[in-house]
Amino acid sequence: EMKAAGGTASTTSGETIVSSAANHAVKLAVRAGAVAGPNGFVQIGGAPGLGGQTIQQLSKGTYHYNKMLAQVQAAFNHTTGQGKAYTVDFVCWIQGEQNAEVGTSRADYLTALLQLQADIDVDMKAITGQSNTVRILLYQTSHRITTSAGAIALAQMDAVKQSPFFHFVTPVWVFPRFDYVHLTAIGYNWMGKHFGRAAYQLVEGRVPDCLRPISAFIEAGATTLRVKFRVPRAPLVLDPVSLGSPADFGLLVKDDAGMLTLSNITVSDDMLTVTLNRALGANPKFRIGLDYPGTDNGRGAHSLRDSTGDTAIIEGVTYPLWHVSAADELDIITLEA
């Protein structure tokens, strides 16, 4: 349950995702029979960050980065003092809005993000002596996504594609918000369940589930575009009722000649199919979640999710834990006849 500072239930301010994520991960481990009880899967979490900061203001050498190291050192001392083992398996990275606000480029944010993981890995190993690499569980910002060419959101997906140590969990726009940037207490609790599931899957020894496009292709001379997705639980679902109904379900196809008109948008299993109004020209791109609706401080949206049936109860209300697709842009590959 999320509580405001005064201790009462709140729909606005409240805790970070830490307790929600940790509790949900333990719940999944117990439910799966991976451990006999909660004491068999103990997690220690901290929230050393600060809102309104760029990635540079939270990276190695800053006050909050050092605060994270101090928290890990304290947890290590406490745990090993009881004769138990302690490692840092992952760090949840929930940031990007301020860099979108100040106009950081896609390339610069990606460089900073990759360096952050490398620094965290070295510094955590120096404290714990662990051999396993520290992973980053990553959400995707939606702040100013339609007014910045999606620079930060795309850089976050670049990290997932380029490094095996980054794992996409969820876009942030699907959760209820208190203002243009921050979620409500319910929103953070709900998002925390997604991180808890990913955390359990990671500790279980596998790549955490996520929904994202992995290839877009078309036959030479044809006008039927197909986009294959990584889908945790098929089939794909176009759900404008639950996720919103932007134009063309939040999809866009363009080439050097401009935007194409889309029709017959359908999904089945792990494939999305779209009919284009003309043959593709040079440099064709498929985009999802980057262009519509273009309002609400430039927040993007789309209508695509998977069929995962997991749920969570928060303040007596049942919330779905399906996977919602990442926003992304893919080059469209033409397959020769």
Side-chain angles (χ1 to χ4, degrees), residues 131-148:
S131 59
N132 58 299
T133 301
V134 181
R135 311 299 180 107
I136 303 294
L137 296 181
L138 189 69
Y139 88 159
Q140 187 181 46
T141 183
S142 63
H143 186 65
R144 297 199 180 280
I145 198 169
T146 65
T147 58
S148 65

Side-chain angles (χ1 to χ4, degrees), residues 64-86:
H64 293 283
Y65 186 94
N66 291 336
K67 183 178 179 182
M68 173 184 65
L69 297 183
Q71 289 180 353
V72 170
Q73 184 68 67
F76 177 77
N77 293 344
H78 174 77
T79 306
T80 56
Q82 298 182 15
K84 300 178 181 179
Y86 174 84

Side-chain angles (χ1 to χ4, degrees), residues 164-218:
F165 307 129
F166 285 86
H167 304 287
F168 167 65
V169 176
T170 181
V172 69
W173 62 266
V174 298
F175 305 108
R177 292 172 303 139
F178 173 60
D179 57 23
Y180 283 129
V181 176
H182 304 95
L183 304 182
T184 64
I186 295 295
Y188 283 118
N189 193 327
W190 187 3
M191 186 168 70
K193 309 299 185 189
H194 287 73
F195 275 87
R197 176 172 59 193
Y200 168 64
Q201 292 171 346
L202 190 62
V203 174
E204 194 181 29
R206 66 184 184 90
V207 175
D209 292 334
C210 73
L211 177 61
R212 64 182 182 90
I214 55 178
S215 66
F217 54 93
I218 194 168

Side-chain angles (χ1 to χ4, degrees), residues 2 26-27 62 64 69 89-90 93 108 145 163 174 188 201 225 230 244 261 290 302:
M2 304 299 281
V26 173
K27 176 181 177 179
T62 64
H64 293 283
L69 297 183
D89 295 298
F90 59 88
W93 185 248
D108 286 349
I145 198 169
S163 170
V174 298
Y188 283 118
Q201 292 171 346
L225 172 69
R230 178 186 175 192
T261 300
L290 295 169
H302 62 76

